[in-house]
Structure formats: C-alpha cells, structure tokens
Amino acid sequence: MTTQFWDGRRETLEDQAQDPLFNPIEHGLTGPQQALDLVRGDADYRQRFQQVFNVSPAEIRMEHLAQAIAAFERTLLAGDSPFDRYQYGSDQQALTSAEREGLALFTGRAGCSGCHSIGEDSALFTDNRFHRLGVGFKKIESRLAEIARIYVSSADPAEQLSPLEISEMGRFVVTGKPADIGKFKTPSLRNVTLTAPYMHDGSVATLEEAVELEIYYRSQERARPLILTPVEKANLVAFLKALTSP
Ligand code: HEC
C-alpha cells in the first residue's frame, strides 16, 4: 500500500501505527507521554525494548513504539490463495469453474479490476488510488458545502465538525481539493470474505450485498446498466472467496 487508512492520510506504517493510540474511538490515550509511561512501566516491555533497540526505559521514544508495531504489521502478508495458485502458479485446478467464471467477469464485463488491480506477476487488488462511490455520502450530503467551508477555513475543524462529518469527506481531508470530497482508497480484496462488515463505514454487512452495490455503482459510472444474472453474481462472489490466504 502506498498510503495508509481509507483516506490515505499517512504514508508509512510507522506514521500509521501511532494514530490509533490517540484516536478517541480506538485506544484513546491522551498523548505520547501516556503511551510512553505505559511502555516504560511494564517490565516485559522494558526488557524487550532494551533487547531490540538497546535503550534504557527513559530513552524509549514514540519512534521505537512505531517501529515495533510497523515491523509486526509487515509480517501480515497475504498470498498463496487459490487465485494465486491458478493465476501465477499455473495450477488450472486451483479454481473451480464457477470461480474461473467469476474471475473472467471481474477482469472483463464487470470491470472490477480497473480499480481492484491484478498485475502481471502479482495482485494487490487495489490501484492505491481514491474513488467516489458514494457509500455513506447521504449522511453529509445536505450539509456538504458548509462542512467543506468550515474544514478549509477553520484552524481546528474538529472543534466545529463531528468526527463523522470529517471522516465522510474522505480524501478531501488530506488534500483540501474539492474534487476529492467523498473519495476513499480502493481496498484490497485479499481475505475479503474474512473482513465483514464492508466499505469505509462498515455499512454493508455481507459480501453478497457489497458486490450488489458495486454492480450498481458500475452502472451509475457508465450511465448504462451493468446487468448480471443471479448465477453471474454468485460466480463473482465465489471468485472473491477464492482470494483467501491459507
Ligand atoms: C472505480 C473503482 C472501483 C471499481 C471499478 C470497483 N471497485 Fe470495489 N471498491 C472501490 C472503492 C473505492 C471501495 C471502497 C468504497 C468505500 O468504502 O467508500 C470499494 C469497495 C469494495 C468492496 C468492499 C471491500 C471492503 O473491504 O470493505 C468490495 C467487496 C468490492 N469493492 C468489490 C468490487 C467488485 C466485485 C467490483 C466489480 C463489480 C468492484 N469492486 C469494482 C473501488 C472500485
């Protein structure tokens, strides 16, 4: 991933790793001091930080925490799914015929791989770019102009806007460009069957519904309906289920 979070507001895992500690709806720590106190106050952490970074408790800094978490995150690799074995391992039996039909739709008529990319010798299932589908947009649509105005003109937008109003602005929060309002990063679809609920706001409960929505968005985008039969939709879902790593 070239950026982190749905709006891509952090570039590196090290930067990303710090945000959840201080996000009020995640760990909700008051600041770096509290995070460092927690680590320095724990005998096991003290010993491990000494071992890995060669630092005394007083020398432990946020950078060490961030590096440690990021190093762990880098071990969370996905691969060797049935799709990988079929596509890159020349194992024709790795996908069932329904899954192969789904793959053909995914890269063909349904146009999914335009954003959920499949490369020559590997596939991230994301283009690492930002798109406006419209998921959750209704929640802020009526106040959009006002929210955007407050966001760009206020020194501390969080004082006047709710966390939802800010997060629903998507990529705009990072770039300040009106064209980026409501855009979110294409999520990878690896292991997608294990990661319900779906979309940036978790508003979609099942994979079937997510695929249904995406078919609808494709129709909107092209201004002509993308019509898939129930069997074709089921094949698309079957293909997505073949993206699960062992
Ligand atoms: C224009 C780019 C684009 C195309 C084409 C596209 N997607 Fe997406 N997809 C996205 C974006 C962006 C999101 C996240 C939207 C959000 O959360 O607001 C997403 C979300 C999803 C999700 C939810 C994943 C999760 O972890 O929450 C699924 C499943 C999905 N897409 C499947 C598909 C399928 C199947 C197709 C083809 C019918 C398709 N997509 C076509 C950009 C695209």
Side-chain angles (χ1 to χ4, degrees), residues 6 106 110-116 127 129-135 182 184-189 192 195 197-201 207 210-211 214-215 218 221 226 228 236 240:
W6 285 96
F106 191 90
C112 313
S113 58
C115 299
H116 300 283
D127 54 1
R129 298 178 62 178
F130 303 85
H131 305 275
R132 178 170 38 244
L133 268 48
V135 177
F184 292 90
K185 191 169 80 175
T186 309
S188 174
L189 299 179
V192 71
T195 57
Y198 301 107
M199 306 300 176
H200 70 270
D201 57 359
L207 195 52
V211 168
E214 279 287 30
I215 293 168
R218 300 290 77 71
E221 209 173 63
L226 167 63
L228 299 184
L236 256 184
L240 295 179

Side-chain angles (χ1 to χ4, degrees), residues 148-162:
R149 185 186 53 74
I150 294 174
Y151 195 82
V152 292
S153 62
S154 159
D156 186 4
E159 279 200 338
Q160 294 173 62
L161 299 172
S162 71

Side-chain angles (χ1 to χ4, degrees), residues 82 85-97 99-100:
R85 295 199 289 276
Y86 174 84
Q87 185 84 355
Y88 305 116
S90 2
D91 177 357
Q92 295 302 308
Q93 305 309 312
L95 293 185
T96 65
S97 64
E99 291 161 353
R100 287 200 297 270

